[in-house]
Amino acid sequence: MSARQARIGVIGAGWWSTYTHIPGLIENPHAHLAAICDRSEEACERATTAFPGPAAYVDLETMLAETELDGVVIAVPHAAHYDVATRCLDAGLNVMLEKPMVLTASHAADLVRRADAQGVELIIGYPWHFTRTAIRAREVLDSGELGAIQHVVCTFSSMVVEFYRGNDAAYQPVFEWTVAGPGDVYARPELSGGGQGHLQITHSSGLMFFVTGLRARRVGALMNSFDLPVDLVDVMTVEFEGGALGVVSSTGNVPVGDAGQLDIRAYCEHGYVLLDAISGSLEIHRRDGSIERDQLPADDSYPRFATAANLVDVCLGRESNGSPAEFGHRSVELLDAAYRSAENAGRMIEVSDLYA
């Protein structure tokens, strides 16, 4: 192993790990994939057969005790994120935690505190945060040149409805995975939490908070499952700290193979920003009538290997955290409040009450 390779463990040997994180780490010249851990012996064997070399563990504590690591990728079912992440952070490891960060605001705040206490980085698995267009939109809004943000619209439509039916085979022609699919995890609330909120709005809201720097103050939401075991269509009204107002909405019912839409529109005192994450386009409209435009190449619009690569670079001191936990925390606050609101006929929920 080269002296400049970060020693990485992957926890969770399911679909996204075997489709994205493990292949990306193997191809990364600065990474050494030291271990794979999954409670399922079958999943471990399947992963190490497809990717021979790393040690395999079915017990997390054994892996942490026996393997010298610089960081870990955590890609387990949503409901297990908090327990696994606490153990890895408390072990002093840098962590790349898949989205959603966790399912409750109090757990998100606790993970942030643990990372700070250990002096390690907690990266949240949001690939769009690493795109040139998202970073540019954030720079412009943060600079203040457009004035204060007054209104935000965040819309996400995606092709995930068959996941909520437990029918992952519908997506094999799209993703062409060769090791494992997600099975019925996203159709099981005890594993995934909710549906469209925890699988998809975590993406769009995480990007919204990353770009705008806003934080929700109170949230009202309506959700409809349309007879699925989890929510399919979610609509949220949001008041942000500082007074900006916004609408966050999403549906998972677009046709299989359709790229969908993820638009973030931030309207400010002196102009506005239009970010289309799916197509990779950005427009910045200024008060003087000028428009700054950028368009990403198709291959760069969703850099799915970027989050684990950022973990490697953070471990080696080559880069800073490109998807900080604070934005995952803000997304969890939004979603925690939204699910509570939907359970109470859309009543507005104060984010501060989530910590009571």
Side-chain angles (χ1 to χ4, degrees):
M1 182 179 69
S2 165
R4 288 192 54 77
Q5 285 186 305
R7 298 160 298 196
I8 306 297
V10 173
I11 304 166
W15 173 43
W16 204 243
S17 285
T18 56
Y19 180 71
T20 295
H21 297 313
I22 293 173
L25 289 166
I26 288 173
E27 293 298 319
N28 189 330
H30 303 292
H32 169 61
L33 179 59
I36 295 173
C37 180
D38 196 290
R39 292 188 301 178
S40 165
E41 291 186 8
E42 180 184 356
C44 266
E45 182 178 353
R46 190 169 53 219
T48 53
T49 298
F51 307 103
Y57 294 91
V58 294
D59 179 70
L60 175 58
E61 295 303 328
T62 303
M63 185 192 79
L64 296 177
E66 294 185 357
T67 310
E68 190 172 2
L69 299 169
D70 299 303
V72 293
V73 171
I74 300 174
V76 297
H78 304 162
H81 281 195
Y82 177 70
D83 178 60
V84 175
T86 55
R87 288 192 273 173
C88 294
L89 291 171
D90 290 349
L93 297 173
N94 293 299
V95 170
M96 198 294 286
L97 176 60
E98 263 301 339
K99 55 79 190 170
M101 182 180 177
V102 283
L103 300 181
T104 68
S106 59
H107 281 172
D110 184 59
L111 291 188
V112 171
R113 286 193 295 267
R114 288 172 188 265
D116 288 344
Q118 290 288 344
V120 296
E121 291 294 336
L122 176 54
I123 302 162
I124 308 302
Y126 290 130
W128 277 305
H129 293 190
F130 295 87
T131 59
R132 183 179 71 230
T133 46
I135 293 169
R136 177 58 180 158
R138 182 185 183 192
E139 289 173 348
V140 170
L141 292 172
D142 185 59
S143 73
E145 66 171 285
L146 300 183
I149 299 172
Q150 298 175 328
H151 177 48
V152 178
V153 178
C154 178
T155 305
F156 193 11
S157 62
S158 56
M159 58 166 188
V160 293
V161 64
E162 294 300 327
F163 283 143
Y164 303 150
R165 295 188 174 111
N167 179 25
D168 68 346
Y171 301 100
Q172 173 61 33
V174 178
F175 294 101
E176 298 182 331
W177 59 74
T178 58
V179 181
D184 64 352
V185 169
Y186 301 130
R188 299 172 62 186
E190 72 275 15
L191 296 179
S192 62
Q196 194 67 9
H198 285 139
L199 183 61
Q200 298 291 267
I201 294 179
T202 178
H203 263 307
S204 55
S205 65
L207 183 59
M208 175 185 69
F209 290 121
F210 176 81
V211 167
T212 65
L214 295 172
R215 187 170 195 167
R217 173 182 289 162
R218 59 182 185 146
V219 181
L222 295 175
M223 301 180 180
N224 201 324
S225 66
F226 293 98
D227 297 322
L228 294 168
V230 292
D231 49 295
L232 176 66
V233 178
D234 301 357
V235 178
M236 306 170 193
T237 301
V238 187
E239 180 187 5
F240 299 97
E241 293 181 357
L245 301 178
V247 178
V248 177
S249 63
S250 186
T251 176
N253 194 20
V254 302
V256 173
D258 190 314
Q261 183 180 25
L262 199 174
D263 283 354
I264 294 172
R265 302 178 175 225
Y267 297 92
C268 308
E269 294 175 294
H270 310 303
Y272 59 97
V273 170
L274 307 179
L275 176 64
D276 182 341
I278 301 294
S279 72
S281 68
L282 172 66
E283 292 185 4
I284 300 166
H285 294 248
R286 295 181 169 84
R287 178 63 60 86
D288 62 6
S290 64
I291 304 175
E292 176 185 335
R293 292 186 172 90
D294 193 6
Q295 176 65 58
L296 295 175
D299 291 346
D300 294 337
S301 61
Y302 186 70
R304 62 188 174 99
F305 301 111
T307 56
N310 186 228
L311 172 67
V312 171
D313 289 338
V314 163
C315 289
L316 295 174
R318 292 161 47 90
E319 298 286 347
S320 60
N321 186 339
S323 186
E326 180 58 33
F327 301 109
H329 181 190
R330 295 182 192 188
S331 175
V332 172
E333 287 180 332
L334 174 81
L335 292 169
D336 192 354
Y339 278 103
R340 295 187 193 206
S341 174
E343 291 173 357
N344 288 275
R347 179 174 66 85
M348 294 295 288
I349 301 295
E350 301 285 337
V351 167
S352 59
D353 290 342
L354 303 177
Y355 301 99

